[in-house]
Amino acid sequence: EAQVTQNPRYLITVTGKKLTVTCSQNMNHEYMSWYRQDPGLGLRQIYYSMNVEVTDKGDVPEGYKVSRKEKRNFPLILESPSPNQTSLYFCASSLSRISRGRGVQETQYFGPGTRLLVL
Amino acid sequence: DQQVKQNSPSLSVQEGRISILNCDYTNSMFDYFLWYKKYPAEGPTFLISISSIKDKNEDGRFTVFLNKSAKHLSLHIVPSQPGDSAVYFCAAGGGADGLTFGKGTHLIIQP
């Protein structure tokens, strides 16, 4: 079954304690990204990766790191979490980066979400 | 600056009637648009899309209309069913950075 998995699904932590949220996809997708969803703000992109060892900042990258050592995995790292990073996080993947003029209606496949509370 | 706007945070529609969700965008570089549906405790799932070369795309009960001159698109669901109650995100692609999402509209289908 084609899917994007995230772990953990729920996490409560304290300020400053490093944490990693894992993301894995089994569709051999090149493009992966992380979003956070906050009330009234919708989905905002944190980081994205166009392929192995290629990552770039999205709209709200501050306080986050990512790595892409393997095609299937794209972990999100919070080196020193703060309360303003309390949010619902989604990992997503697609076959390739959605870029202008390709005329390809590619969709992103989303993971089930990770709800993070930073105290 | 919000490039994709969904100005209605919520919408309540009676079962069996038509639901119309609206989305406006500002970036003329966007050349295709998608709607995602999200249930609580689940990730968004793809619903329907439309390329800028079309003005309408239909899939069963779901139809998306695109008005390029007005930079406006809408999702029509007819007839609305209880299982359609969810948050709907409009997204646009073709700009510099992948997909840009709106804030979402919470659709509530009333019996």
Side-chain angles (χ1 to χ4, degrees):
Chain A
E1 180 190 353
Q3 60 181 353
V4 179
T5 56
Q6 295 177 227
N7 281 294
R9 293 290 313 278
Y10 304 92
L11 180 60
I12 301 174
T13 190
V14 295
T15 299
K17 185 176 181 183
K18 181 180 178 180
L19 66 93
T20 299
V21 184
T22 65
C23 173
S24 182
Q25 50 92 4
N26 62 1
M27 296 169 278
N28 202 34
H29 283 169
E30 292 178 351
Y31 184 82
M32 298 184 74
S33 60
W34 275 101
Y35 294 86
R36 59 179 288 175
Q37 182 189 3
D38 301 290
L41 296 175
L43 287 164
R44 295 179 295 167
Q45 191 177 52
I46 303 170
Y47 266 94
Y48 64 92
S49 169
M50 289 189 282
N51 214 323
V52 175
E53 301 292 2
V54 181
T55 64
D56 210 342
K57 296 177 180 179
D59 298 320
V60 288
E62 294 77 20
Y64 304 95
K65 285 174 57 177
V66 292
S67 71
R68 188 89 182 275
K69 293 184 169 54
E70 307 164 278
K71 200 171 189 178
R72 64 182 291 129
N73 296 322
F74 189 45
L76 179 70
I77 304 155
L78 285 72
E79 294 272 4
S80 183
S82 61
N84 65 11
Q85 292 178 298
T86 291
S87 187
L88 178 58
Y89 292 87
F90 290 102
C91 179
S93 74
S94 62
L95 191 59
S96 62
R97 181 183 184 183
I98 297 162
S99 58
R100 179 160 59 96
R102 294 191 59 186
V104 177
Q105 296 178 20
E106 295 183 29
T107 68
Q108 291 194 46
Y109 296 84
F110 283 83
T114 295
R115 189 167 289 280
L116 172 65
L117 172 62
V118 183
L119 301 172
Chain B
D1 179 34
Q2 202 182 346
Q3 298 188 68
V4 177
K5 299 178 185 178
Q6 293 177 256
N7 291 319
S8 299
S10 67
L11 175 67
S12 185
V13 175
Q14 266 198 313
E15 182 179 355
R17 307 290 287 265
I18 183 171
S19 296
I20 301 176
L21 295 96
N22 293 303
C23 179
D24 297 292
Y25 62 97
T26 57
N27 189 340
S28 56
M29 301 294 261
F30 291 141
D31 61 5
Y32 66 94
F33 307 87
L34 309 93
W35 285 94
Y36 284 82
K37 177 180 180 180
K38 184 185 178 303
Y39 292 118
E42 293 182 14
T45 56
F46 170 72
L47 191 59
I48 192 169
S49 64
I50 188 166
S51 164
S52 60
I53 62 173
K54 293 185 173 182
D55 56 17
K56 177 182 175 181
N57 189 26
E58 193 171 351
D59 183 3
R61 295 186 298 113
F62 303 92
T63 303
V64 56
F65 295 93
L66 175 62
N67 182 334
K68 282 184 65 179
S69 60
K71 293 192 175 70
H72 176 84
L73 64 152
S74 60
L75 174 68
H76 293 212
I77 306 172
V78 55
S80 300
Q81 298 175 354
D84 295 331
S85 294
V87 176
Y88 290 78
F89 289 100
C90 171
D97 297 311
L99 285 181
T100 302
F101 284 82
K103 293 182 179 181
T105 297
H106 185 194
L107 176 64
I108 302 160
I109 305 302
Q110 294 182 332

